[in-house]
Each structure stands twice: as C-alpha cells, then as structure tokens.
Amino acid sequence: MAGPTRAVAPGTPGLPPAKYHLRTVVLDAGHGGKDRGCAGVKAREADVALKIILELGRQIEENMPDVKVVYTRKTDVFVELTDRAGIANKHAADLFISVHCNASAPSAYGTEVWTMGPHKTDANLAVAKRENAVILQEDNYKANYNGFDPTSPQSHILFSLYQSAHVVNSIRFAQKVDRQFRTTVGRSSRGVKQAGFLVLWKSTMPSVLIESGFLTNRAEEQYLNDKSGQSYMAAGIYRAFRDYKNELEAMNGE
C-alpha cells in the first residue's frame, strides 16, 4: 500500500527540473529624446524604431497573454544604453530585442540582424561604432562602460572579443528573424552578423539588435516610414519570436 503523499519543493534532487517557459521579453526602441539616431529625408530612426517596437509589443500582448512584455521606452525619451540592458536584467527577461534603422550610402539597402560577438569586417565594426556612439551623450559614460571609448577602434576590437553565455540562443533567434524578413515579409536581407554592441553586452539573456533597413535609401525610408511597412516588420519579428518560444519550450520533452 502506498504511503502518504507530500509536497516536494521545486528543484529537489531526484525530480526532473522545472520545464522552461519563455515568460518575459524586453522590447527596446533604439535612440530617442535628444538622440534622434540616423535620418532619411523625412524619417528619423528614433521614431521609426519606436513605432515598430510598439506594434511588435501589441502583437505579442494580443496573441500571447502568458508573455510579459516590458518596454525600455514607449515614448520619445532618451534612455542610456546601460539602462536599457538594466531594465532587461531587472525583469529577468528571457529575450531582449532592440530595433534600429541603418545609414550608409544611398545605394545600400536590406535588413541586418546582429548578435553580440567579434566583428568579422570593417563594415561590421562601422555599424557597431555608429550605434555605440550614443554613449557620448550620456553622463559618466567611461565609468558606466568600463572605460570604453566609442571613438577608438582598439576599444571595439577588445570589446568584441567578449562572448556571451547566451550566444547560441541569440543566434537561434536572429536566424529566425532573418528568415521571416526574407520569406514572409519579402525584404532583402544582408544576413545575421556579429559585432560588439554595448546595448547587448550588459544584458544577461539572449539578445539581438535588428537593423530594419536604411533610412538613407529612399525606397527603404518610404517603406519603414509607412504604417503598413512598420506592421509587416513587426509581424515578421513576432512570427520569429513565436517560433523561437515554441522551439525552446518543445525541448522540455527531449
């Protein structure tokens, strides 16, 4: 005859570990406030990034009520890079998604999805340097970023050698975003890349930075500055998020 049952604390030796559930995502609209980011003829990066992020958050909240959505900003305000990562860490987020727009020669076009890692080319370094330069507008940036100098190539080279413990899942999610952009959204893709982004460096979870397109390209500016284009971009990221969540949670049974 079986003995009496009793409650057992989670994590008790001999019991299977608790199943993984993706519970919290932090959505980060790049730039904002006094930092307008890059610009096209009409569109500014800070505005476009915020509209894509708000639409992405709406889609997640509407379709996944079990997922907590946290925003680093929901209005046109300036948030320091270290605070963006700090928000994600404070909420013990399972994923950090940062959305930006790119700038280059007028002929440059296409999406890019970035993860933390060593840059392979000077072009990758240039993107990281442009996005990291925002810290020059912050107070005490040298103390906040361990003496990092965004104007120094040497700083970026040393910094980019930092390897996150979450690089595998960062790349896993980045590849899903890239696939959605290329297939269902129909965007031209410049691929999944790695470089040393400060906003990803201090986050303690899988993290990606999405360059949604070039505001310096007239056709892409018009697409990204249009509500339907922003909705398509958000939907692509949402589908990647859904697939990533389902894939990781399905691994519970393996």
Side-chain angles (χ1 to χ4, degrees):
M1 189 172 180
T5 59
R6 60 188 177 86
V8 181
T12 299
L15 290 183
K19 287 189 174 183
Y20 172 79
H21 292 286
L22 198 162
R23 301 183 186 282
T24 305
V25 59
V26 168
L27 305 182
D28 174 51
H31 307 276
K34 64 182 180 180
D35 172 28
R36 308 307 300 148
C38 67
V41 175
K42 295 181 179 178
R44 299 304 299 251
E45 179 178 9
D47 302 327
V48 173
L50 180 60
K51 289 174 181 175
I52 293 173
I53 279 292
L54 291 176
E55 174 59 18
L56 171 60
R58 186 194 68 78
Q59 293 183 27
I60 295 174
E61 289 167 340
E62 192 172 279
N63 294 292
M64 297 181 175
D66 58 320
V67 174
K68 180 180 181 182
V69 178
V70 177
Y71 302 84
T72 59
R73 69 180 183 97
K74 295 184 78 172
T75 57
D76 185 23
V77 294
F78 179 72
V79 183
E80 295 188 355
L81 293 185
T82 189
D83 291 338
R84 295 171 190 265
I87 290 167
N89 297 340
K90 173 187 171 185
H91 288 275
D94 298 290
L95 185 65
F96 178 85
I97 304 172
S98 186
V99 169
H100 292 250
C101 302
N102 225 333
S104 188
S107 58
Y109 64 93
T111 61
E112 298 172 342
V113 188
W114 296 83
T115 67
M116 185 69 195
H119 65 269
K120 302 293 196 301
T121 67
D122 289 341
N124 288 18
L125 173 61
V127 173
K129 286 177 72 174
R130 183 176 65 79
E131 296 293 5
N132 290 340
V134 61
I135 70 169
L136 294 173
Q137 300 187 47
E138 300 179 13
D139 297 326
N140 303 319
Y141 75 85
K142 288 189 177 180
N144 288 340
Y145 302 100
N146 299 353
F148 179 84
D149 179 1
T151 65
S152 162
Q154 290 76 18
S155 265
H156 281 87
I157 289 166
L158 291 171
F159 173 67
S160 67
L161 296 176
Y162 173 85
Q163 285 294 319
S164 167
H166 302 287
V167 68
V168 171
N169 279 342
S170 296
I171 293 173
R172 183 195 302 270
F173 177 64
Q175 289 172 337
K176 292 185 187 307
V177 174
D178 182 64
R179 188 177 305 117
Q180 288 292 336
F181 285 167
R182 286 186 286 106
T183 57
T184 57
V185 185
R187 294 293 308 281
S188 177
S189 164
R190 295 162 66 99
V192 173
K193 304 181 179 185
Q194 289 185 305
F197 290 94
L198 287 169
V199 73
L200 302 182
W201 169 49
K202 291 211 169 186
S203 58
T204 57
M205 72 287 303
S207 310
V208 301
L209 186 147
I210 297 167
E211 294 283 6
S212 55
F214 287 80
L215 293 184
T216 44
N217 178 293
R218 285 294 289 127
E220 289 209 326
E221 179 191 14
Q222 289 173 355
Y223 178 87
L224 292 171
N225 205 32
D226 181 77
K227 187 172 182 179
S228 62
Q230 293 158 2
S231 181
Y232 288 138
M233 292 297 293
I237 303 168
Y238 165 75
R239 284 190 291 268
F241 175 74
R242 177 198 63 197
D243 294 348
Y244 173 83
K245 179 179 186 294
N246 290 343
E247 184 175 301
L248 287 192
E249 291 179 352
M251 291 180 183
N252 287 329
E254 294 181 358

